[in-house]
Amino acid sequence: MISNPSTETTVASKLEALLNLQRLDSQLDEIRRVRGDLPEEVRDLEDEIAGYEVRVSKFDEEIQALNDQIKQRKQNAKDADGLIKKYEEQQQNVRNNREYEAIAKEIELQRLEIQISEKKIKEAQYQIELKNNDIAGTKQRLDERKKDLTNKNTELQTIVGESEADEKKLLDEREKAVKPIEERLLTAYTRIRGNVRNGLAVVTVKRDACGGCFNTVPPQRQADIISHKKIIVCEHCGRVLADVDSKVVA
């Protein structure tokens, strides 16, 4: 049991207020149900698009870094070539074999530097080609997802547009409906709604059964519900049993 008010009128008014709130929330649930998974699908597409855009940006940065490496390697090769020419001129004026061999080693080192630079340049160019292919594939998927997003947004806006006025009206009514409900009852109502699949926290007894879980409600318990002396919850699902539809207890 949620509460034990002192008068029948107090309990009856609370139950009426809860039923009214449930009615409004059920209508809002129906509007949102019609939208289905579209809002979530739109958010997922937006996240996916953002991920692709980050990936393309990262590829661009990596390609820029590789181009910088190529530029540096070309400069290294140019510098090495200049040193080779300088050393070859010095070889013409050596005084002995030792000086000649020392310069020859320097020339060999610079030639090796040129070979390494050329190899690294080819590797970087190959990596750039791979990344450009990745960018092309990513941009293609990005374009496809953007088209999907446009279509989903159009579909969602159409559905929202059709129900926007009704939803606003219901939200305004709901704002007024919660004011007379005491905080602890509203908290309990919200908790129950969050725990059940169909969002029904307040129900009536129909054909001797709970309107939420459809389990049988005993005659004596139905009599207690009709008396409105206390707020009673279903012993099976925990929903508030606000009234008995037939008002006839066997």
Side-chain angles (χ1 to χ4, degrees):
M1 295 184 185
I2 296 176
S3 64
N4 187 21
S6 59
T7 67
E8 180 179 345
T9 304
T10 302
V11 173
S13 62
K14 289 180 179 181
L15 289 171
E16 185 179 352
L18 285 172
L19 270 174
N20 183 48
L21 179 60
Q22 180 65 75
R23 177 184 62 81
L24 294 170
D25 279 338
S26 293
Q27 291 181 59
L28 285 166
D29 289 344
E30 178 60 22
I31 287 175
R32 289 157 187 164
R33 186 193 65 76
V34 171
R35 294 173 189 169
D37 296 329
L38 274 175
E40 186 176 347
E41 289 174 7
V42 166
R43 286 192 295 271
D44 288 344
L45 281 169
E46 288 172 342
D47 290 342
E48 189 175 356
I49 287 170
Y52 284 139
E53 288 175 340
V54 168
R55 189 179 301 178
V56 169
S57 177
K58 185 179 178 183
F59 282 143
D60 286 338
E61 291 174 1
E62 291 172 351
I63 288 174
Q64 182 59 51
L66 287 168
N67 279 322
D68 290 342
Q69 290 178 26
I70 290 172
K71 183 178 179 181
Q72 184 59 53
R73 289 293 180 182
K74 285 182 177 180
Q75 185 60 49
N76 291 347
K78 183 178 180 181
D79 292 344
D81 187 59
L83 287 172
I84 288 172
K85 291 178 180 178
K86 176 183 175 182
Y87 290 142
E88 286 176 342
E89 288 178 2
Q90 289 178 358
Q91 271 186 328
Q92 305 300 319
N93 300 312
V94 296
R95 291 171 295 180
N96 51 55
N97 287 339
R98 178 180 293 178
E99 289 183 4
Y100 185 90
E101 290 175 359
I103 292 174
K105 286 183 180 179
E106 290 296 331
I107 290 173
E108 187 62 29
L109 286 173
Q110 295 307 316
R111 284 174 177 164
L112 182 60
E113 174 63 29
I114 290 174
Q115 290 176 1
I116 292 173
S117 293
E118 289 175 346
K119 180 182 177 182
K120 293 295 183 182
I121 288 171
K122 288 180 180 179
E123 289 175 354
Q125 288 172 336
Y126 177 69
Q127 289 298 319
I128 288 174
E129 183 179 351
L130 290 179
K131 291 184 185 300
N132 277 326
N133 288 336
D134 287 337
I135 287 176
T138 302
K139 284 185 174 180
Q140 181 179 351
R141 290 190 293 273
L142 179 59
D143 289 341
E144 291 171 355
R145 292 299 178 269
K146 283 184 175 179
K147 290 177 183 177
D148 290 341
L149 179 60
T150 298
N151 292 335
K152 292 290 184 184
N153 264 325
T154 300
E155 187 178 352
L156 179 59
Q157 287 168 9
T158 299
I159 294 174
V160 170
E162 291 172 350
S163 59
E164 188 173 15
D166 290 338
E167 184 178 18
K168 185 180 184 306
K169 180 181 177 182
L170 287 169
L171 287 171
D172 289 342
E173 289 181 26
R174 188 186 192 280
E175 187 177 350
K176 296 175 184 176
V178 298
K179 290 180 179 179
I181 302 174
E182 58 188 82
E183 187 175 349
R184 64 195 185 93
L185 272 181
L186 187 58
T187 299
Y189 168 84
T190 303
R191 184 185 68 250
I192 297 169
R193 259 177 67 80
N195 290 335
V196 294
R197 289 184 178 181
N198 56 11
L200 293 177
V202 183
V203 297
T204 58
V205 176
K206 299 179 180 179
R207 297 182 180 179
D208 299 327
C210 168
C213 67
F214 309 112
N215 278 291
T216 300
V217 178
Q220 183 54 52
R221 198 163 185 80
Q222 291 187 46
D224 293 337
I225 295 166
I226 291 173
S227 70
H228 290 162
K229 290 181 179 179
K230 53 190 175 184
I231 294 179
I232 298 173
V233 300
C234 175
E235 59 186 14
H236 298 284
C237 66
R239 291 176 171 88
V240 175
L241 299 173
D243 210 343
V244 177
D245 273 6
S246 64
K247 294 292 181 74
V248 175
V249 180

